[in-house]
Amino acid sequence: MDFDLSNEQEILQETVDKFIGNVCPITRVRELSERDDPYDEELWDRCVDLGLGGLLVPEEYGGAGLGLLDAALVVESLGRGAVPSPFIEHTVAVLALRLGGSREQKRKWLPGMAQGDVRGCVALGEQENAWFGDRWTTRFDSGAGGREGVRGTKAPVSFGAGSDLVVVGTAGGGLVLVEGADPGLRFERIDGIDRTRRLDRLEIEGASGSVLSARDGIASRVVDAWLVLLAADAFGGAVACLARSVAYAKEREQFGVKIGSFQALKHQLANMALEVEPARTLYWYAAHAFDRELADASCAAAAAKSAICDRYLRIARSAVEVHGGIGYTWECDIQLFLKRALFDGLYLGDSRVHYRRIAESSGW
Amino acid sequence: MELGYGEEFELYREGVREFLSKNWPPPGKSGEGIDDQAIRAFRRNAVEAGYLYRAIPRRYGGAGREPDLLEAQIIREEFRRARAPMEIGGISTQMLVPTLLECGEEWQKERFVRRTIEGEIIWCQGYSEPGSGSDLASVRTRGELVDGEWIVNGQKIWTTQAAEADYMFALVRTEPDAPKREGISYLLLDMKQPGIEVRPLRQITGGTEFNEVFLDDARTPADWIVGQRGQGWQVSRTTLKHERNMVGNAESAEKLFRQLVRLARSVDLEEGPAIDHPEIRVELARLWNEVLIQRCSGYYQLSRSAKGKSAGNLTLMNKLAFSDFAQRVSDVALRIIRGDGLLEPGRRRGGNEKWLNQWMGSLGLSIAGGTSNIQRNIIAERGLGLPRDVVGDR
Ligand SMILES: Cc1cc2nc3c(=O)[nH]c(=O)nc-3n(C[C@H](O)[C@H](O)[C@H](O)COP(=O)(O)OP(=O)(O)OC[C@H]3O[C@@H](n4cnc5c(N)ncnc54)[C@H](O)[C@@H]3O)c2cc1C
């Protein structure tokens, strides 16, 4: 057994950390988050230059051919930096093609996705918390009766507007590809609580679609992968909240000493560390189980998403408390993480939904 | 033990009801027709009848009644039932006024109390500074008495409603050579003067209720001081005591709980209304137990102080109990609103995402007026008699 990252994986993560430090430090995150649309073309181009666009694209289509675990490591770093990047959405779109695309579909899209000509996004969830395939109502009619095309409403869609390829979930748990430029797509911006993610409501009115293989369970594999990546983001964010809180406790003085000298605060920070650090291996496991198609992959994805996102929310709240009055301000960067924690926790179903899925599939 | 109020008090209750049936809603008015003026007039009548501002002497605009906590409770119950306006809340009436009544000079009470309780003037609390939050006694804003005037220099921060306030009650270091807690005075300052600049600070919710206040040769007359020079710390303890009572209040807990129940009734989870969901029901029951504890503990505190006796450590626990409760309520709310919690609460008014403000606000509650850690220190040290921390100048 060697349940540890490989050398290459460690180097990948270091590279991404350094990249974020140079290209999108927290000051830049803040600038982007103050705009109506935090998506930044230039930032995404730089990500693609680094090879992030094609991380999961198979080598034969010009990518690095890596697995979900590698992508999750990148996402952890992005989450630690609160970076407004569409990497998760793009990568899940790549995975959808990889899992369900015909040779032709792959040839058409994957090389561009690796090179940065094509940015992908995924539109699954619908109103009223219909996150999973069994509740999607978006329809795809393949021709009969002159009503050809995709019809429905997806919301909220993250980093959807401006993308070149949209993977759309359809009734019964199917997936269809729609070109971003299709006149049948209308993105309408939604003001989200997390200003580091662009959110839209997507109206699809007769867009032309190209079906991905209906092979059983592709859509739910795609959801699983996304859950794992949200968990990785949450882990990174929780690490950042802990690190910032520890640093603040070593710097802020009250009663003539560093506040970290008070045992109450030490215990608070130790409890935060206790929640954060062991959780890293859970998202590793979930990503690994996905890559190896282990029998409990789906369950592990649900566990990682619910457990780690719940922790992120608690850690972010504690981080505000540790910072005192400053923590309660817009100026303090903790608020960016607190709101990302809300996003990670609620997108693709809150933890209660996933705890239930785990219980239902557990056999106990 | 007897939970009823007794015959004498039930008679009193009838009196309150009769007053309300004649005065609220104001005769001939309803809905939109009830303007500020009508509310003011109602409050005046209620003071006259002895129902509002009871502890405040008549000469300062109050009802001047003997303190009677049971009567006060009956009034609250009946006014709430009739949805009639009660006393104006907030720090002006609930912190500054009691402090003035307890420690102020006669002229200060005459000048400020009536106008404050009638809502004519608003105060802000200038305690915290960038370097002095939990360690409030370390305040550095300086005051010097020059030619019959205090000249005040320094900075206050997190000052709620400083932008709207007419006056500030502030902790200012006037005796730089005295030990930490003995060098502070409690000064009153006019906010509308050139020496005071207020800059809004944006809160985590996006709103701007609190501010930075810069005092640059701000002036205030020599006698705008509550208590003696150097006694400001003692005076401020009375104010903080009032703040803790204000927050730790069983009625607020119950109100919050009722809002949560309304939310649970109105939202469908996959299997039907949230209120019917077994997990949510268990959560609600847990919170309801907490409400019950706070209510009973409120009755007990009430009964004890009616007899002039102490309720022990309970009084030290109200703030922490309430802020923890508020946090738990908002966590359950988040589980009910789910996807709506992805939305910005400020702009799309009216949706369930407004609970995010409650969720974030409950964080503010656990910082403002003494953080939860400080509350726990108070319970441990003052309540349980444990030795003080060995680190720090506490
Ligand atoms: C919404 C809001 C409104 C406010 N309104 C006002 C107002 O109107 N007027 C006003 O004067 N102030 C106001 N405040 C300020 C508030 O009183 C202070 O923020 C609070 O007292 C904490 O001080 P601080 O922010 O300096 O944090 P710090 O004191 O620096 O605390 C930082 C962290 O250290 C911990 N800590 C500090 N000392 C100890 C210790 N001895 N033992 C254990 N832990 C410790 C704290 O618990 C906290 O977690 C407001 C604050 C908020 C959030």
Side-chain angles (χ1 to χ4, degrees), chain A residues 88-109:
Chain A
I88 292 185
E89 289 74 7
H90 176 81
T91 300
V92 175
V94 167
L95 261 175
L97 267 158
R98 209 168 99 174
L99 293 167
S102 64
R103 281 198 69 75
E104 203 180 315
Q105 286 167 324
K106 287 180 185 167
R107 222 178 294 143
K108 179 166 178 197
W109 295 108

Side-chain angles (χ1 to χ4, degrees), chain B residues 151-323:
Chain B
I151 312 287
V152 184
N153 282 286
Q155 186 194 342
K156 296 293 176 182
I157 198 167
W158 322 128
T159 322
T160 306
Q161 67 183 24
E164 301 85 0
D166 304 288
Y167 301 102
M168 169 190 272
F169 51 100
L171 292 182
V172 176
R173 189 159 302 281
T174 53
E175 327 298 315
D177 302 325
K180 194 165 155 178
R181 288 184 181 74
E182 287 148 38
I184 300 170
S185 296
Y186 191 106
L187 300 186
L188 309 176
L189 291 130
D190 191 336
M191 289 295 284
K192 314 292 181 203
Q193 59 166 303
I196 293 187
E197 190 195 340
V198 177
R199 285 188 212 153
L201 288 168
R202 207 158 165 209
Q203 289 167 330
I204 201 164
T205 50
T208 49
E209 286 101 51
F210 60 28
N211 305 268
E212 286 178 292
V213 179
F214 295 89
L215 301 126
D216 182 13
D217 282 344
R219 280 152 203 275
T220 199
D223 59 350
W224 283 40
I225 178 172
V226 182
Q228 302 297 309
R229 285 178 72 144
Q231 278 186 354
W233 182 254
Q234 303 314 324
V235 174
S236 78
R237 296 297 89 184
T238 52
T239 319
L240 271 189
K241 184 179 75 195
H242 294 298
E243 181 171 39
R244 292 201 176 108
N245 290 345
M246 176 172 108
V247 182
N249 174 334
E251 281 168 26
S252 320
E254 197 157 338
K255 191 164 153 211
L256 204 52
F257 179 80
R258 301 233 171 267
Q259 286 168 356
L260 183 66
V261 170
R262 267 204 299 282
L263 175 74
R265 285 222 171 88
S266 70
V267 172
D268 275 344
L269 300 182
E270 300 90 73
E271 312 80 355
I275 190 84
D276 291 337
H277 195 285
E279 285 168 37
I280 299 292
R281 291 188 78 71
V282 169
E283 285 305 325
L284 288 175
R286 261 199 198 120
L287 290 168
W288 175 246
N289 289 353
E290 200 57 47
V291 170
L292 212 49
I293 289 177
Q294 292 202 21
R295 193 202 279 167
C296 296
S297 140
Y299 286 156
Y300 176 68
Q301 292 178 56
L302 196 67
S303 309
R304 293 295 284 184
S305 50
K307 290 188 276 190
K309 289 186 181 163
S310 148
N313 293 345
L314 287 182
T315 49
L316 305 176
M317 297 175 174
N318 289 332
K319 194 215 162 193
L320 191 56
F322 182 75
S323 59

Side-chain angles (χ1 to χ4, degrees), chain A residues 192-261:
Chain A
I193 181 74
D194 171 11
R195 302 185 57 92
T196 64
R197 268 120 167 178
R198 161 88 191 221
L199 286 190
D200 285 280
R201 177 188 166 89
L202 170 59
E203 301 281 358
I204 313 174
E205 198 39 64
S208 24
S210 150
V211 189
L212 286 177
S213 153
R215 215 180 78 216
D216 260 7
I218 298 285
S220 63
R221 289 272 288 160
V222 167
V223 169
D224 287 346
W226 203 342
L227 295 175
V228 173
L229 296 182
L230 286 173
D233 185 87
F235 177 76
V239 167
C241 287
L242 173 62
R244 282 159 186 275
S245 302
V246 170
Y248 191 69
K250 289 178 182 170
E251 162 200 317
R252 168 75 172 170
E253 291 189 7
Q254 285 291 272
F255 305 99
V257 296
K258 309 286 181 207
I259 55 171
S261 317

Side-chain angles (χ1 to χ4, degrees), chain A residues 252 254-255 317 328 339 356, chain B residues 130-131 135 204 271 362 393:
Chain A
R252 168 75 172 170
Q254 285 291 272
F255 305 99
R317 289 190 70 119
Y328 196 67
K339 292 164 186 175
R356 266 186 52 178
Chain B
D135 183 13
I204 201 164
E271 312 80 355
S362 70
D393 172 23

